[in-house]
Amino acid sequence: MLDDFINQFWPSTIDGLSLGAIYALVALGYTMVYGVLRLINFAHADIFMVGTFAALWTVQTMGVSSAGGIGLIGVAVVMALVAGAVSGGSALLLEVAAYRPLRKKGASRLAALISAIGASIFIQQLFATTVIPWVFDTSKEGGKLPLNEHFVSRNDVVDLGPIHISNDKLIVFVGAVLMMIALDQFVNRTKLGRGIRSTAQDPETAVLMGVNIDRVVSVTFLVGGAMAGVAAALYFLRFEQAWFFTGFLLGIKAFTAAVLGGIGNIRGALVGGFALGLFEMYGSSLFGSEWRDVVAFSVLILVLMFRPTGILGESLQQARA
Amino acid sequence: MLLEIRDIHVHYGKIAALKGITASVDEGEIVTLIGANGAGKTTTLKTVSGLRPLSGGGIVFDGKDISKMPGHKRVLAGIGQAPEGRGIFPGMTVEENLLMGAYARKGDSSPELKEAYELFPRLAERKNQAGGTMSGGEQQMLAIGRALMAKPKVLLLDEPSMGLAPMLVQQIFTIIQEINRRGTTVLLVEQNAQQALQIAHRAYVLETGRVVKTAPAADLLDDPEVRAAYLGGDLGAAKGTAAPPAAPAPAPEPSATSADAGGPADADSADPAGTRADDGEGGTAP
């Protein structure tokens, strides 16, 4: 058991970081929407799923097969652009259709939560019954689309003693970190970012400053959705599969990552994502891979027992002075 | 008139908070709304700045009916507000908070930033400090400076003296006068009626959602009823020599008792506030 863990330490770490990077990107969407609206957007998981199909469509349309090296980076960038745009747009539509009407009527947060769950099921079923058969010309049961041939040609690009990093994992990790830096700069350095932070900290005063809350909410959904889209492209690059139900477990994991790091806290989502990815991989090398999810959620429960606000706490809002 | 509030009604659910307030503010004036807790002072300001919807009446600003204008557009129209409780964004630095004040405006805001720092040198010293870690007095300065960043035609101030030590209160009121002297119209809501009436040109007295009295501020300072209800009549009585002018009021007995009932409570509530602010001030003294 412990031997497995020691033998598998470096591979688990690499896997954990590349998986955690994807969790972190998706967690950003949960945490940003929560920060601005105090709403858990459960349909965010399905925005991610939409992104994986956008990535699949890109690969099929470009006719990619066994890409490696610089070519693979190019494919990854195109996939990320397409999936980011499609997911971002879907998130924007979701907000306008499922949440904005409720906000305008002053509905309770519970109503918005139910709407989120409804929207989540709607998107899943829309893809399972309509979009997948139409766009991808498949009548496969449940619309699960494993690619028959791999479109990624994997090889180790880093070889340092016990550390081997394959090209796809490196692209996933670097791509995700680049997106995180971009988001951090956007939120902390730009005027729109200030608008988002002010709305999260004190929405009423933000209005007094001339912040258009509806616009901030739209931008938040757009950016969160785009992050999920990029995450979906990276996920697709790594696992080469798309399924209408992909979002469910991954969404729960990403939400867990957001809570683990401190919901509402952008940097917390990143810490939570990487931590969860590592815990899962270390857990499965210790106890066997069937225990992976058990380990992940046990860690969540333990952290919340001793730090109910998550690892970094809620800093986007902070205590209202 | 720069700002005309015409018979406005506002409801929270079924409860009427404002039952027909009519007031106006002319360009260059300092106008104050005084009254007890729950009189509707804050609600009036929030309604003017668009945070509360009207259920009746209208608001005309600068010749335009703004009754239906969304709140975030009223800043550009020229209404700036330092809200109750100051509304500092705790996770932003002082400078970021100030820049939020210019959020609605296009173009360079560095001249206004410079002016804010000139008006409040303390803010310049602390521009990289998180807003939430500042003392009460500094936060109030920040709230006022931030509202000025929008270059408002009228500045709405909600309880700027709340929780501040007497010395700081004096300083804030001096700054309000200075802002007015530089050409900004001020609509001031205060529980500290004494101070507010001393700097204001005109005043409205609010009671349970209605205007019960309006007059030049100096007249209200001498008004026996206002003195008894809002200016701590007991303090005058305690001084003994200051009391006689107020004594020949029509009904000395009841007014005296009501003043006594209200007076000590007033003093009690003012005192802890003073000590709290003193602590804050001590912490920030350079």
Side-chain angles (χ1 to χ4, degrees):
Chain A
M1 202 166 118
L2 206 58
D3 280 352
D4 290 340
F5 176 70
I6 292 164
N7 290 333
Q8 291 293 309
F9 180 76
W10 286 111
S12 310
T13 306
I14 309 279
D15 281 350
L17 288 176
S18 74
L19 183 65
I22 292 172
Y23 288 159
L25 281 187
V26 180
L28 285 172
Y30 282 106
T31 227
M32 285 176 70
V33 167
Y34 179 83
V36 169
L37 287 182
R38 296 292 186 279
L39 162 76
I40 305 296
N41 174 19
F42 279 114
H44 189 59
D46 303 287
I47 297 298
F48 170 85
M49 179 273 289
V50 171
T52 59
F53 280 99
L56 170 64
W57 179 85
T58 311
V59 168
Q60 285 186 344
T61 308
M62 290 169 73
V64 182
S65 66
S66 64
I70 301 293
L72 186 61
I73 296 177
V75 172
V77 170
V78 176
M79 277 200 307
L81 286 175
V82 173
V86 170
S87 286
S90 312
L92 211 53
L93 260 174
L94 169 74
E95 198 274 314
V96 171
Y99 304 132
R100 184 160 298 188
L102 291 175
R103 274 213 320 283
K104 291 278 171 263
K105 292 215 155 49
S108 70
R109 293 217 173 94
L110 192 62
L113 196 70
I114 300 298
S115 185
I117 294 169
S120 167
I121 296 170
F122 174 81
I123 299 172
Q124 278 171 21
Q125 295 307 317
L126 183 72
F127 266 69
T129 60
T130 311
V131 177
I132 296 170
W134 273 41
V135 178
F136 298 98
D137 188 28
T138 171
S139 49
K140 277 207 183 75
E141 211 172 301
K144 193 163 188 171
L145 282 180
L147 291 182
N148 288 329
E149 75 277 23
H150 292 296
F151 73 96
V152 180
S153 143
R154 294 184 168 74
N155 59 298
D156 287 352
V157 285
V158 177
D159 232 331
L160 292 168
I163 306 172
H164 308 280
I165 306 175
S166 63
N167 51 355
D168 59 330
K169 287 176 199 163
L170 189 66
I171 291 176
V172 167
F173 183 79
V174 172
V177 169
L178 286 178
M179 292 309 290
M180 292 166 194
I181 293 171
L183 181 79
D184 195 70
Q185 292 297 308
F186 168 71
V187 171
N188 286 314
R189 297 267 176 275
T190 67
K191 188 167 170 180
L192 254 177
R194 271 205 301 278
I196 291 175
R197 281 188 295 148
S198 68
T199 306
Q201 290 175 25
D202 188 342
E204 200 158 80
T205 305
V207 172
L208 292 179
M209 303 294 114
V211 176
N212 182 345
I213 302 286
D214 280 340
R215 184 134 176 271
V216 162
V217 170
S218 294
V219 169
T220 305
F221 271 85
L222 179 71
V223 170
M227 289 288 151
V230 173
L234 298 174
Y235 176 91
F236 190 70
L237 181 86
R238 174 93 177 74
F239 300 106
E240 294 175 300
Q241 52 171 302
W243 185 33
F244 78 94
F245 209 52
T246 314
F248 181 72
L249 189 60
L250 192 125
I252 290 184
K253 292 277 183 63
F255 173 59
T256 303
V259 174
L260 197 61
I263 187 118
N265 181 330
I266 286 179
R267 287 179 184 167
L270 305 182
V271 171
F274 284 116
L276 190 68
L278 287 172
F279 284 136
E280 269 191 24
M281 287 306 157
Y282 291 150
S284 50
S285 75
L286 263 174
F287 307 107
S289 60
E290 67 273 25
W291 289 92
R292 181 174 148 175
D293 296 345
V294 176
V295 172
F297 292 111
S298 304
V299 167
L300 173 73
I301 292 168
L302 281 175
V303 169
L304 290 187
M305 270 170 72
F306 295 104
R307 257 190 92 80
T309 54
I311 298 170
L312 293 190
E314 194 184 28
S315 91
L316 196 65
Q317 295 78 21
Q318 299 204 338
R320 293 189 180 165
Chain B
M1 284 292 165
L2 181 63
L3 173 67
E4 282 177 70
I5 301 168
R6 292 177 180 165
D7 190 33
I8 58 170
H9 294 252
V10 171
H11 288 78
Y12 291 112
K14 288 199 167 145
I15 301 160
L18 302 185
K19 304 164 191 164
I21 299 258
T22 298
S24 61
V25 183
D26 209 353
E27 208 156 346
E29 274 188 311
I30 299 180
V31 172
T32 183
L33 308 179
I34 60 175
N37 264 331
K41 307 183 301 282
T42 293
T43 305
T44 304
L45 285 199
K46 284 187 170 173
T47 310
V48 170
S49 52
L51 295 178
R52 296 286 175 272
L54 284 171
S55 42
I59 299 171
V60 176
F61 180 69
D62 213 5
K64 285 187 294 272
D65 186 345
I66 59 163
S67 310
K68 293 210 165 69
M69 186 187 273
H72 67 267
K73 290 195 176 149
R74 297 192 192 190
V75 191
L76 264 186
I79 298 176
Q81 182 171 351
E84 187 183 27
R86 301 162 194 134
I88 299 304
F89 300 112
M92 291 192 187
T93 65
V94 168
E95 183 145 319
E96 283 179 318
N97 264 288
L98 286 172
L99 289 174
M100 279 309 296
Y103 189 89
R105 286 182 32 223
K106 294 204 168 30
D108 185 25
S109 47
S110 50
E112 286 74 40
L113 199 60
K114 218 175 127 195
E115 201 179 322
Y117 284 145
E118 182 232 325
L119 199 58
F120 301 105
R122 177 63 68 86
L123 297 184
E125 290 164 27
R126 293 171 185 260
K127 61 179 165 190
N128 293 318
Q129 190 176 325
T133 64
M134 309 242 293
S135 75
E138 290 166 341
Q139 288 197 1
Q140 190 58 58
M141 292 175 192
L142 181 52
I144 295 175
R146 185 179 63 181
L148 288 175
M149 291 288 292
K151 289 193 163 180
K153 294 193 181 102
V154 62
L155 177 62
L156 313 182
L157 297 173
D158 199 344
E159 304 267 4
S161 76
M162 193 198 278
L164 299 185
M167 227 180 76
L168 274 173
V169 172
Q170 197 56 57
Q171 200 183 338
I172 293 280
F173 278 97
T174 310
I175 288 166
I176 295 170
Q177 275 184 303
E178 170 64 17
I179 290 167
N180 179 251
R181 202 184 55 75
R182 292 185 186 190
T184 306
T185 307
V186 175
L187 177 55
L188 171 69
V189 153
E190 259 303 338
Q191 293 233 46
N192 190 338
Q194 178 85 42
Q195 292 274 6
L197 291 175
Q198 275 171 6
I199 66 162
H201 302 110
R202 290 187 304 117
Y204 293 85
V205 182
L206 268 57
E207 237 167 62
T208 58
R210 291 195 177 83
V211 175
V212 293
K213 191 167 273 189
T214 169
D219 295 358
L220 286 184
L221 271 174
D222 296 329
D223 185 307
E225 273 179 55
V226 171
R227 287 193 69 86
Y230 304 109
L231 300 178
D234 64 312
L235 291 180
K239 280 177 198 156
T241 50
E253 234 10 271
S255 88
T257 42
S258 77
D260 276 320
D266 223 42
D268 278 347
S269 69
D271 239 342
T275 31
R276 239 188 302 133
D278 273 337
D279 291 348
E281 199 192 6
T284 60

